[in-house]
Amino acid sequence: MSSNSTTTDKKQAILDAALQLFVNKGFNATSTASIAKAAGVATGTLFHHFPTKNDIMNQVFLAIKQEFADNMVTSTQFSGDIEQDAYTLWQKAIDWAIAQPLKQLFFLQYSMSADIDVTIRKQAMTSILSFVVELIEQGKQQGIIANFPSELLLENCHGQYLATIRFFTDNPHLGGDKIHRDASFTLFWHAMKAQ
C-alpha cells in the first residue's frame, strides 16, 4: 500500500469516526481526541489532516453533500420538463435518505446549524448542488417556477427536503408509500411554482 493510500485511508477514517460521533454525541460533546481514538489514529495525525474540529465538521458536510449530489445526477436522464425533472430528483433524494440513515441524520442535525460555516453551506448549495440551481433558473426563465430570488428558492428547496426527510425518518413505514412520497413532492412543488 502506498503512503498516499494510507494517508487517504486515515483521513477517511477520521471523517467516518467524526460522522458517527457528531450524530450520536453532538458536535460540542465530541472532542478531537475521541475522534482520533474512534478512527484509530494519533491525535497528531488528526491535526495533520484537519487543524480544527470545525474543519472536520465542514469536510464531513461537504463530503456527504457531494455524495448526495453525485447520487442525484448519476443515471438521471433530464427530460427538459422542469416539473418532471424536479419530481425525479425529489424521489431520488428520498431514496438516498432512506438508504443512508446516518448521513441523513447528520443533515437533519447540522444542515441549518451554526456549526457549519456559512461559506461552506453556500459552497454546498451553489456549487455542489449547481444542477438544482440550473433547474430553478430554467424554471424561472420558462415562467414555471416563481420569480423569487434564486438563493431564497434554493434555501426553500432545502428546507422542504429536510422537513420531508424528517417525516420519513419519524415514519419509516411510509418511506416506500407512493401516496406520501407524491404528496411530499406536491407540497414542495406548490411552494416553488409560479402562481
Side-chain angles (χ1 to χ4, degrees), residues 11-44:
K11 188 174 181 180
Q12 189 59 53
I14 293 166
L15 294 173
D16 292 344
L19 169 63
Q20 188 77 46
L21 290 167
F22 290 158
V23 169
N24 293 334
K25 292 177 65 177
F27 177 74
N28 292 321
T30 300
S31 67
T32 52
S34 66
I35 295 170
K37 182 177 179 185
V41 301
T43 305

Side-chain angles (χ1 to χ4, degrees), residues 41-114:
V41 301
T43 305
T45 301
L46 180 143
F47 286 121
H48 170 72
H49 293 292
F50 304 100
T52 69
K53 186 169 67 166
N54 283 79
D55 292 327
I56 299 169
M57 170 61 89
N58 291 333
Q59 186 59 49
V60 169
F61 179 76
L62 289 174
I64 295 172
K65 200 62 109 167
Q66 187 65 59
E67 179 184 323
F68 172 78
D70 291 346
N71 178 73
M72 296 286 286
V73 296
T74 301
S75 74
T76 297
Q77 299 295 319
F78 291 96
S79 67
D81 177 325
I82 302 296
E83 184 175 357
Q84 183 58 50
D85 289 344
Y87 177 85
T88 299
L89 291 171
W90 186 260
Q91 297 303 328
K92 283 186 87 167
I94 293 172
D95 288 341
W96 182 88
I98 290 169
Q100 302 291 336
L102 182 66
K103 292 173 182 173
Q104 191 53 55
L105 283 172
F106 176 85
F107 274 165
L108 288 171
Q109 286 177 271
Y110 296 108
S111 284
M112 303 241 182
S113 167

Side-chain angles (χ1 to χ4, degrees), residues 155-170:
E155 287 292 340
N156 182 68
C157 287
H158 189 237
Q160 292 265 35
Y161 172 71
L162 291 174
T164 296
I165 294 312
R166 170 54 67 201
F167 176 81
F168 287 124
T169 299
D170 291 347

Side-chain angles (χ1 to χ4, degrees), residues 145-158:
I145 291 179
N147 192 23
F148 296 132
S150 295
E151 283 186 6
L152 185 59
L153 286 168
L154 191 58
E155 287 292 340
N156 182 68
C157 287
H158 189 237

